[in-house]
């Protein structure tokens, strides 16, 4: 996947959904694999001026609509049972922390062939289920802590 538009042009897949489909196809061919994290670095900066000044494409800012569109792309590829999401872990709890402290994280035996879409610490566009109880409902993106 591209890290910098117009620079990483030798990537194996240009579109995000194409990458997800490739990973899912591999997963279906190897159904007992451990959970696969998909790290999403959603940059807030409008681009490195050294690169922008030579005329490369500048990614749009991440806002709620863009994050929802990204979430929809993930949902278009994976079935609900193929993703470990904040809601799966949280269950009926108010926060993500409550069931993790009580029951622990999902067991490996129950998570084989699953995926986790992760937003790294400090990501400007993350939905934070830890500090916003009830937030991120039905959202596949996971805040990594």
């Amino acid at each position: 996947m591209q890290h910098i538009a117009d620079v990483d042009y030798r990537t194996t897949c240009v579109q995000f959904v194409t990458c997800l489909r490739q990973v899912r196809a591999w997963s279906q061919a190897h159904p007992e694999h451990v959970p696969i994290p998909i790290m999403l670095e959603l940059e807030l900066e409008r681009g490195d001026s050294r690169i922008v000044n030579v005329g490369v494409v500048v990614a749009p800012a991440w806002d709620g609509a863009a994050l929802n569109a990204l979430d929809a792309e993930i949902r278009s590829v994976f079935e609900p049972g193929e993703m470990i999401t904040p809601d799966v872990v949280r269950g009926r709890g108010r926060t993500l922390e409550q069931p993790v402290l009580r029951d622990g994280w999902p067991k490996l035996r129950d998570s084989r062939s699953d995926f986790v879409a992760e937003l790294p610490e400090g990501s400007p566009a993350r939905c934070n289920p830890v500090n916003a109880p009830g937030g991120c409902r039905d959202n596949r993106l996971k805040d990594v802590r």
Side-chain angles (χ1 to χ4, degrees):
M1 192 66 217
Q2 292 184 345
H3 183 72
I4 301 172
D6 293 341
V7 175
D8 297 335
Y9 58 88
R10 290 187 179 196
T11 184
T12 58
C13 53
V14 176
Q15 294 183 327
F16 181 58
V17 169
T18 303
C19 294
L20 294 178
R21 287 182 183 139
Q22 288 177 6
V23 172
R24 185 171 186 254
W26 181 90
S27 171
Q28 290 174 326
H30 304 88
E32 289 299 310
H33 66 78
V34 297
I36 296 176
I38 299 172
M39 185 63 70
L40 304 168
E41 291 188 48
L42 309 179
E43 305 295 336
L44 181 61
E45 297 176 11
R46 300 299 296 165
D48 183 326
S49 62
R50 297 170 295 174
I51 296 172
V52 172
N53 290 339
V54 295
V56 299
V57 172
V58 177
W62 286 98
D63 58 12
L67 194 59
N68 286 337
L70 178 63
D71 188 64
E73 286 188 350
I74 295 169
R75 289 174 187 271
S76 77
V77 174
F78 296 106
E79 297 294 322
E82 296 174 324
M83 296 288 297
I84 300 171
T85 67
D87 288 343
V88 167
V89 175
R90 181 175 30 236
R92 295 179 185 203
R94 275 194 78 234
T95 69
L96 188 59
E97 182 181 32
Q98 289 172 344
V100 170
L101 292 176
R102 183 184 64 238
D103 306 322
W105 287 98
K107 303 290 185 252
L108 179 59
R109 69 177 174 269
D110 300 328
S111 303
R112 290 202 175 270
S113 300
D114 286 351
F115 295 86
V116 180
E118 299 177 343
L119 298 171
E121 179 72 30
S123 177
R126 81 174 171 230
C127 189
N128 188 335
V130 175
N131 296 327
C136 302
R137 289 274 175 209
D138 300 318
N139 193 299
R140 295 188 183 259
L141 301 178
K142 176 185 171 291
D143 180 21
V144 179
R145 294 258 174 210

